[in-house]
Amino acid sequence: MQLLALMDYSEAFKRTLFEFEITGAELSRKSGVSTQQISAFKNGRQGLSTDTLQKLLEALQPKARAYFYHLVQLPPEQPARAAENGGVYPK
């Protein structure tokens, strides 16, 4: 299982939740990912697998998802391609 780098993704994730006023509890309900795991990732204490990040991103509204992609400078199709490639993001 490939883990995502903490700094870039967790900071972008935290900013996205803040900008769109999304709570960890709300995102947990929509994604099926525990609030503890969301909090640990958001605060840079724990990485996420690409599968888990994909669940979180799919639970976001489209504008919030696009904002996250902008922050990490990923085109929207890359997470899906990463999942097809065993969890490795293309460079």
Side-chain angles (χ1 to χ4, degrees):
M1 178 182 336
Q2 179 79 18
L3 291 181
L4 301 173
L6 290 179
M7 189 65 157
D8 297 331
Y9 290 94
S10 65
E11 183 61 30
F13 184 72
K14 185 176 185 174
R15 287 184 190 183
T16 300
L17 296 185
F18 177 78
E19 286 296 322
F20 289 86
E21 300 178 350
I22 301 166
T23 67
E26 175 187 353
L27 190 56
S28 178
R29 280 191 303 278
K30 291 180 178 179
S31 68
V33 176
S34 74
T35 55
Q36 294 85 355
Q37 196 170 10
I38 292 169
S39 177
F41 178 63
K42 179 178 78 169
N43 293 307
R45 294 189 312 266
Q46 175 182 322
L48 292 177
S49 70
T50 54
D51 290 342
T52 302
L53 181 61
Q54 185 70 28
K55 287 179 188 177
L56 293 172
L57 294 176
E58 288 173 355
L60 294 175
Q61 57 182 291
K63 286 184 180 182
R65 191 177 318 121
Y67 181 77
F68 174 84
Y69 292 141
H70 170 74
L71 291 176
V72 296
Q73 299 182 347
L74 283 178
E77 71 277 1
Q78 281 199 355
R81 286 198 330 225
E84 293 169 4
N85 293 323
V88 179
Y89 276 90
K91 292 186 179 186

